[in-house]
Amino acid sequence: MSSTPSTQEPRTSTDPFEFQSVEVLKGVGPGVAARLEKLGIYHVQDLLFHLPLRYEDRTRVVAIGSLQHGQHAVIEGVIDHSEVRYGGKRRGGRGGRSLLCHVADGTGSLLLRFFYFNATQQANLTRGVRVRCYGEARFNNHRIEMVHPEYRRLFEQQAAEVEDTMTPVYPKTEGVHQALLRSLIDQVLGRLDGESLEEHVPDELLNKYSFPQLQQALQLLHHPSPQTSLELLEQCRHPAQQRMIFEELLAHQLSFMRLRQRIQQEKAVPLMLEAAKFDAFRRQLAFELTPAQQTVIDEIHLDLAKDTPMMRLLQGDVGSGKTVVAASAVLAAVTSARQAAIMAPTEILAEQLYTNFCNWFSATDCVLLTGKDKGRLRRSKLEAIRAGAIHVIIGTHSLFQEDVDFSDLALIVVDEQHRFGVHQRLALKDKGRFKGCIPHQLIMTATPIPRSLAMTAYADLDYSVIDALPSGRKPVATVVVSEQRRQEVLDRVARACASGEQAYWVCTLVEESEALQCQAAEETAAMLQQALPELGIGLVHGRMKQEQKNAVVDHFKQGDINLLVATTVIEVGVDVPNASLMVIENAERLGLAQLHQLRGRVGRGQKQSACVLIYSPPLSERGKQRLAVLRETNSGFVIAQKDLQMRGPGEVLGTRQTGLMQLRIADIVRDESWLPEVNAAARYIMQHYPEAVKPLIHRWLGRAERYGSV
Ligand code: ADP
Ligand code: MG
C-alpha cells in the first residue's frame, strides 16, 4: 500500500544489543527464530517485553498442614505409603490405573496422584523416599491431593535449595516451551547494563505516577522477589506493571498522533457551503433536523471549510439519522462543484442511500456503482465519474476498484465503518489524491464505540456523536423467550399483522455456510406460511439476486408483505417505518451489537415497537446476562460498553485478524482510567521529547505499526 517505515528496516549486528535479531542468542537458530516470530518476538528487545502471564511461587516450601484449596505450592515430605490402584475413574480414555503416594511432612499429609507413570517412576516413588513437589493442592474427600505434580527426589544431606525469585510463566507457542523462553529472557536480562536499555518515559512522568525505572521494572516483572505480592501481580496492579501498561498505551497513542500529524500536513480542497444553499436543502427535508444532528453538521461544515483534510468519526445509534448528516456534508462538495463518494457495506444499503440522495440532490447528479454493474453500463458510469459529469457517487467496496477514477474527489463518506476496517479507509484516501490534495473523510458508524475504545483505536480521528434520537421515538420493548414458546410468538405476529402492522423474522444459524443459512430461512418462511396462512410473507437472503432482494424489500416497504423473513442481510439498510415487530431466532448466537442493529430496524415510526429474542434452551448464565442487556436498555452506548466488557476490543471492533489494538499487557477495559492520563502524556512527549516518539512506538508496536507510513 505504501512505503515501509524506517522502523521496519532490517537490523544489523552494528545495532545496539537490544535491536539485534534474536539469533544472536544462544539456543536460537533460524527454526526457533521463526517460531518466536509467532509471539511477535523479532529482536532481543522484544523478549524483554514478552511479559509473564502469571507466576509460580517456588521460593519457599509450604507446610502441608497450611495448604489451601487451589494453592500452587512447593511441598516437601517423605513417602510413607505408595500403591497402584486399579479401576475407579478413568482419565483420558486410558485404563483406570493410578499411582498413589502418601506424603507427610510432620504438619499433615498429602496424596500424590499419577494417572500416567512408568515403571521407573513407580520404583522411584516408594516408601521412605523424600520428595519435593510443585503443584496445585486440591481438597478431595477431606484429603489434600496433588494430581501430577512436578517432583524431584531429594537425597540425604542434599541442600534443600529453593528458587530465589518467583518463577515466571510466559505466553508460549508451539515449539517454544517455558524453559526455552526463560533461558532466552535470562540471557538478555543478564546482558543488560546501565546504558543498554533506554528509558524513554521522562523522569517527570515517572515521578508523577511513582513508576519504577524501566530496567528495574523489567527485572522485577521477569523475576519478582519472594516478597512481591502475587495478588498485586495477578491483578496487574503492581507499579512495575502499571508502568508497562502506561508505556504501552502511550506508544499506541503516539502512533495515532503521528498518523494524525501526517494527515494534517496534507492539503485538502476547502469546501465552503453558503448558508442559503444549506437552508434550501434543509427546507426540502421531510423533517426538522434535531439539535444533535445540527451540532454535528456544524462541526463537519467547519472542518470541510479548512484546507487540511477532515478525518472525522461520526457515531450515532441505529436510527439516529446519520444519513442526512452525510448528505449535508455531500452538499458542501456538490455546491463547490466537487465530487463526493459515499461507501456502504452492502448493496441493499448502497441502493437505499442512492434513493435517499436522489431525493435530496438532482437525480442526474447521482450515480450508484456496485459490483454488479458490468460491461457497457459500468463503462459509461465510470466515464461519467472520470469526466466529473457526476458529483455524488454511491457504491459498495467496488469504489475501491482500480478502474474507478475520480475527476476531483473532495469528500469520502464511509457508512458503517466497522465493516470495512482500517485498511480500506486508508486505501480510499490514496485513491482520491489529486493535484497534491487528499479528500476529506467522514466515517460513520452505527455501532456506538465506548469512549475508551474510541480514544484508543480511533485516536487519529476527530469525533462527533449524535447523542439523541429524533423525537417521538419510543424505545423498543424487548422480551427474551425460549424456543419452546414459539407458538406464543406466532400468535403475537398474527395479531400485529392483523392490526395492520408489519414484522420481521430473522433467522440465524451458527454455521458459517451461507447456503445453510439461506436454506434455514427458506424452511422458516415455509413453516411460517403454513402456520400463518392469512399473511403475506416475503423472504430475503444472501443467495438471492440483488434484483430479487430489492423487489421483496420494495413490496415490504409498500405494505404488500406483512412479514419479512430474512437472514441477517437486513441488519443494515432496510428502513421501513411501519414495521414494528422484530423476531430474532437463536438470538443467543449473535453479538450484542448485531442484535442491537437488527432491533434498530423497528421503532422507526411513531408506533410502540417490540422485539422478541428467541433462544434455544439451555441458555448459559452468561448467555442470559447478555440477552438481559438488550432487554434492559435501548442505548447503543450502554450495549457497546457491556459488549466490550464481555468480549474484548478485538471482537467488538472486528479486528482480531487485522491486529489493530493488539495490546500485550494493557487491557483497555481494565485500564480505562489510565486513558486520559496517557492522552495528556502523549501530547506532552510530542511537544517536549519528540525524539522519544519513534523508539517508543517501535518498542511496543514494532512490526505492527501499520499506520506509520500512511
Ligand atoms: P441511521 O443513523 O441509522 O443511518 P437514518 O439516517 O437511516 O439512521 O435515519 C433513520 C430514520 O429516521 C429515517 O427514516 C430518517 O428519515 C429519519 N430521520 C432522520 N432524521 C430525522 C429527524 N430529524 N426527525 C425525524 N426523522 C428523522
Ligand atoms: Mg444508516
Side-chain angles (χ1 to χ4, degrees):
M1 190 159 72
S2 38
S3 66
T4 315
S6 57
T7 52
Q8 291 182 15
E9 279 163 16
R11 298 283 175 174
T12 64
S13 57
T14 54
D15 282 313
F17 172 57
E18 65 266 30
F19 292 122
Q20 291 177 22
S21 154
V22 285
E23 290 193 45
V24 303
L25 299 173
K26 273 200 289 293
V28 185
V32 172
R35 273 171 267 155
L36 286 171
E37 284 187 13
K38 293 215 184 87
L39 294 170
I41 298 170
Y42 302 88
H43 303 136
V44 166
Q45 172 175 267
D46 299 332
L47 276 166
L48 287 177
F49 288 84
H50 191 66
L51 297 171
L53 278 176
R54 58 186 178 83
Y55 300 90
E56 293 172 353
D57 187 353
R58 298 163 185 256
T59 63
R60 65 207 163 95
V61 176
V62 175
I64 293 175
S66 74
L67 284 173
Q68 307 283 321
H69 180 73
Q71 182 178 0
H72 287 81
V74 180
I75 58 105
E76 190 178 312
V78 177
I79 299 180
D80 56 30
H81 175 63
S82 228
E83 62 183 314
V84 174
R85 196 167 292 168
Y86 294 87
K89 264 189 260 166
R90 279 158 176 262
R91 280 259 183 140
R94 292 270 293 260
R97 200 171 71 113
S98 48
L99 172 62
L100 306 178
C101 309
H102 299 261
V103 177
D105 70 351
T107 67
S109 76
L110 172 121
L111 183 68
L112 309 181
R113 195 187 279 275
F114 298 90
F115 296 100
Y116 306 99
F117 57 94
N118 56 33
T120 321
Q121 284 172 311
Q122 189 180 343
N124 278 335
L125 294 171
T126 50
R127 182 182 160 83
V129 168
R130 191 168 188 79
V131 285
R132 165 82 59 85
C133 303
Y134 179 85
E136 183 185 355
R138 307 200 64 89
F139 281 90
N140 189 2
N141 280 332
H142 309 291
R143 254 205 325 229
I144 320 172
E145 59 177 54
M146 281 186 181
V147 175
H148 279 274
E150 294 168 36
Y151 71 88
R152 190 154 58 102
R153 285 179 63 175
L154 296 178
F155 297 97
E156 209 79 20
Q157 260 83 53
Q158 186 170 10
E161 81 282 8
V162 286
E163 302 283 335
D164 298 333
T165 60
M166 307 273 190
T167 309
V169 180
Y170 294 105
K172 54 184 182 168
T173 184
E174 215 175 319
V176 184
H177 47 81
Q178 283 302 330
L180 178 61
L181 279 169
R182 285 178 193 148
S183 100
L184 295 178
I185 290 168
D186 287 351
Q187 274 185 59
V188 180
L189 284 171
R191 281 186 55 178
L192 282 188
D193 52 44
E195 285 119 66
S196 51
L197 190 66
E198 234 183 298
E199 174 69 77
H200 297 302
V201 179
D203 279 343
E204 53 273 36
L205 288 178
L206 294 179
N207 292 339
K208 178 172 176 191
Y209 301 114
S210 313
F211 284 152
Q213 289 279 334
L214 179 64
Q215 287 215 28
Q216 197 190 336
L218 284 173
Q219 287 287 358
L220 185 141
L221 290 176
H222 289 291
H223 290 297
S225 70
Q227 293 77 40
T228 317
S229 155
L230 268 191
E231 202 187 328
L232 270 192
L233 284 175
E234 260 148 31
Q235 297 169 354
C236 273
R237 282 170 40 231
H238 193 284
Q241 288 164 315
Q242 293 282 303
R243 184 226 132 91
M244 293 299 171
I245 289 167
F246 184 87
E247 190 177 311
E248 180 171 37
L249 292 172
L250 183 65
H252 279 262
Q253 194 73 24
L254 287 169
S255 138
F256 279 117
M257 283 188 180
R258 197 160 70 161
L259 173 60
R260 191 190 176 96
Q261 257 186 356
R262 287 188 191 170
I263 288 182
Q264 278 165 351
Q265 283 159 10
E266 301 269 7
K267 288 268 162 256
V269 179
L271 302 174
M272 312 284 191
L273 179 59
E274 289 165 37
K277 289 191 171 148
F278 181 59
D279 281 343
F281 171 80
R282 199 165 44 187
R283 273 197 302 274
Q284 58 150 352
L285 296 175
F287 45 75
E288 292 271 316
L289 291 173
T290 64
Q293 283 169 322
Q294 188 61 60
T295 306
V296 170
I297 290 171
D298 291 344
E299 283 170 352
I300 291 171
H301 284 160
L302 271 180
D303 274 5
L304 292 176
K306 294 183 191 152
D307 64 355
T308 49
M310 169 173 82
M311 283 293 277
R312 188 170 282 279
L313 177 70
L314 169 60
Q315 284 193 38
D317 218 337
V318 248
S320 61
K322 293 183 293 296
T323 318
V324 71
V325 173
S328 307
V330 169
L331 183 70
V334 172
T335 55
S336 311
R338 303 280 175 172
Q339 289 177 315
I342 303 102
M343 307 242 319
T346 65
E347 289 190 1
I348 289 194
L349 187 55
E351 301 201 11
Q352 192 161 298
L353 283 172
Y354 177 70
T355 313
N356 278 329
F357 278 67
C358 285
N359 286 331
W360 293 331
F361 298 91
S362 141
T364 52
D365 207 13
C366 299
V367 68
L368 175 67
L369 190 72
T370 64
K372 73 166 198 266
D373 291 316
K374 299 266 152 55
R376 277 237 317 269
L377 179 64
R378 182 174 180 88
R379 279 199 301 279
S380 78
K381 286 182 177 180
L382 290 175
E383 188 39 49
I385 296 169
R386 187 173 309 131
I390 278 180
H391 294 100
V392 183
I393 300 115
I394 296 162
T396 53
H397 55 277
S398 64
L399 288 184
F400 291 123
Q401 269 154 25
E402 277 166 21
D403 61 350
V404 185
D405 279 321
F406 296 92
S407 150
D408 47 17
L409 183 63
L411 169 68
I412 297 169
V413 179
V414 183
D415 198 1
E416 317 283 0
Q417 195 271 333
H418 62 289
R419 307 195 143 221
F420 282 108
V422 181
H423 299 318
Q424 291 172 26
R425 117 180 165 215
L426 298 167
L428 198 66
K429 185 201 82 183
D430 279 341
K431 181 126 221 152
R433 190 180 288 281
F434 188 72
K435 289 191 190 141
C437 286
I438 65 170
H440 298 281
Q441 277 194 73
L442 177 65
I443 295 148
M444 306 199 293
T445 171
T447 305
I449 296 160
R451 203 180 110 81
S452 54
L453 201 51
M455 274 179 78
T456 317
Y458 294 103
D460 57 324
L461 306 179
D462 288 307
Y463 174 71
S464 298
V465 191
I466 305 182
D467 51 9
L469 298 182
S471 63
R473 295 271 170 83
K474 298 192 183 74
V476 180
T478 302
V479 292
V480 179
V481 303
S482 155
E483 152 121 311
Q484 287 152 352
R485 291 166 56 195
R486 182 180 282 265
Q487 187 56 46
E488 289 168 45
V489 181
L490 290 174
D491 294 344
R492 180 158 186 176
V493 170
R495 272 199 311 278
C497 293
S499 69
E501 293 174 31
Q502 289 175 287
Y504 296 95
W505 190 291
V506 180
C507 309
T508 61
L509 261 193
V510 77
E511 274 81 2
E512 291 290 293
S513 147
E514 203 189 5
L516 282 176
Q517 292 213 10
C518 300
Q519 190 192 333
E522 277 165 8
E523 285 164 12
T524 307
M527 177 279 286
L528 288 168
Q529 189 67 79
Q530 210 168 26
L532 306 166
E534 67 286 3
L535 297 190
I537 296 183
L539 170 67
V540 279
H541 63 59
R543 292 204 130 192
M544 285 162 60
K545 289 227 169 63
Q546 195 62 39
E547 296 85 70
Q548 289 176 293
K549 281 194 256 183
N550 291 347
V552 176
V553 170
D554 280 343
H555 280 307
F556 188 56
K557 275 190 189 161
Q558 272 136 38
D560 307 337
I561 290 175
N562 309 103
L563 176 62
L564 184 63
V565 179
T567 51
T568 48
V569 294
I570 62 147
E571 178 189 348
V572 283
V574 185
D575 184 23
V576 181
N578 191 48
S580 60
L581 178 60
M582 165 72 59
V583 180
I584 305 174
E585 283 196 279
N586 297 317
E588 77 278 11
R589 293 175 181 171
L590 297 185
L592 290 184
Q594 201 180 2
L595 288 169
H596 179 63
Q597 297 264 320
L598 285 168
R599 179 172 64 176
R601 297 303 108 201
V602 296
R604 302 201 146 206
Q606 299 296 317
K607 266 181 238 137
Q608 172 64 58
S609 298
C611 175
V612 179
L613 303 175
I614 304 182
Y615 66 87
S616 5
L619 193 55
S620 69
E621 201 42 50
R622 197 178 127 91
K624 273 183 206 150
Q625 281 170 11
R626 277 162 38 85
L627 295 182
V629 171
L630 281 146
R631 196 176 53 216
E632 281 153 19
T633 180
N634 270 273
S635 156
F637 283 94
V638 174
I639 291 169
Q641 187 70 37
K642 298 267 187 201
D643 207 19
L644 183 61
Q645 282 158 6
M646 292 185 194
R647 291 195 305 156
E651 297 270 335
V652 172
L653 285 178
T655 51
R656 266 288 130 83
Q657 297 80 8
T658 64
L660 168 71
M661 291 295 304
Q662 282 201 347
L663 297 168
R664 295 194 221 173
I665 176 167
D667 171 328
I668 62 164
V669 178
R670 183 192 64 206
D671 304 321
E672 187 174 356
S673 61
W674 273 120
L675 293 171
E677 304 290 330
V678 165
N679 213 325
R683 282 170 214 285
Y684 181 79
I685 288 178
M686 278 275 195
Q687 197 180 351
H688 299 283
Y689 298 92
E691 70 286 355
V693 172
K694 199 170 154 180
L696 271 171
I697 295 175
H698 179 239
R699 174 179 289 167
W700 287 96
L701 281 83
R703 301 203 173 189
E705 200 211 349
R706 66 231 139 250
Y707 296 160
S709 55
V710 286

